[in-house]
Amino acid sequence: CSVRRPPVGHFVSRSGIAFFCPTTVMDNQASFSDEETLALLHSKTVPGVSTPVVIVSLLVPWSLFVFSCGMLSFTMHYSTPQYAWMVIAVLFAIPVLFGFIAAKANNEGRSAAGWKYSAFASALALCLGSTMGDMNYWFNAQPYYDIQTMNAYWNVDPSKSRGQQHMDAGRVYFKDNARIDPTKAMAFRNLDTYCVAPIVSDAGQTTQDWWAVGLNCCTSGSSFTCGDVRNPKARAGLRAMRDEQRPFFRLAVHQAEAEFGVSAQHPLFFYWMEDPAKEVLGYLEEANRLFTSSAVSFGILNAFLVALVVVGVSRLAPVKRRV
């Protein structure tokens, strides 16, 4: 064997020594001083991330994100939430499976980097998809489904109709003479400011079960600016559906009863606007928009991370070839 500067295509050990031996000589030599060189020379493994594993790393985590986010954003979460969360829990078996495959590959001396990433990315996709889907459902899809299950009423006179007659109202279209009375507006503060003002049609009415509401859009007295109160075409209301907000609106109404001497036996709370139907559709459109943008964003992020893994493995791992 000779030692000299290696030409292109010949193997170089980490110690910088180039070995040039005929096959018959190399096969008979068993006492090289560079043991690592011998191991590399006889290795059959080409380290790196194989193409099938790259495809799995790209598609499976993204699919899990889309599936979990979609399931928790829309109908299944509303109709059968327990089954939706059960399916998400079962899907965590996929990253566990990838982890077992990675451990097996590592024990057999094969490259496990791709499978390790697939396990990590799949678990991350389920966590992020579930979180984003639940938030999307809470802020956009749930109000849409809630309103859709309730009734719509037209030509309602707030001076004659009582709250107990319309407990299932989701959308209410009032008579043309209906308006908000800002002189009896009231604000209740508990971190946020909960604003209420009666919806009236008769200046002399004392029973007021219809209330326009809003958050952080008033101070006191006639400063009620919630919803479309400045829109002269607004004659309708969309039911305020948040259970956690309703008690504070009710407390504001109690304050108004004590302050102005009015009676609200069965108060109903609405967001004052011109077109409730358009607003309801806006909830669903926003839910779809957020779902689509989240799926695209995660796909781009996952592709970027896969590229980093592939490049990192190819640069860090020594190239092993049979000579």
Side-chain angles (χ1 to χ4, degrees), residues 253-270:
V253 169
H254 290 335
Q255 289 184 175
E257 287 181 294
E259 179 75 17
F260 304 112
V262 298
S263 174
Q265 297 180 358
H266 299 279
L268 301 179
F269 307 120
F270 295 86

Side-chain angles (χ1 to χ4, degrees), residues 141-183:
Q142 186 184 28
Y144 170 80
Y145 294 129
D146 284 341
I147 294 296
Q148 290 296 101
T149 60
M150 305 184 77
N151 283 330
Y153 291 93
W154 284 264
N155 204 32
V156 174
D157 188 343
S159 66
K160 297 179 180 179
S161 299
R162 298 293 176 259
Q164 63 265 37
Q165 296 175 283
H166 303 85
M167 299 298 290
D168 61 345
R171 290 167 292 163
V172 174
Y173 299 85
F174 297 98
K175 283 191 171 182
D176 290 341
N177 62 341
R179 58 183 176 81
I180 291 177
D181 185 359
T183 63

Side-chain angles (χ1 to χ4, degrees), residues 302-322:
N302 185 52
F304 175 72
L305 293 178
V306 169
L308 286 183
V309 170
V310 172
V311 173
V313 170
S314 65
R315 289 186 176 182
L316 294 178
V319 178
K320 304 177 181 181
R321 296 178 181 173
R322 177 181 292 274

Side-chain angles (χ1 to χ4, degrees), residues 174-211:
F174 297 98
K175 283 191 171 182
D176 290 341
N177 62 341
R179 58 183 176 81
I180 291 177
D181 185 359
T183 63
K184 297 178 181 178
M186 185 59 64
F188 179 84
R189 294 178 180 83
N190 182 33
L191 298 180
D192 290 314
T193 301
Y194 296 83
C195 307
V196 298
I199 302 172
V200 300
S201 61
D202 184 355
Q205 72 182 76
T206 57
T207 301
Q208 295 172 334
D209 286 343
W210 304 89
W211 295 81

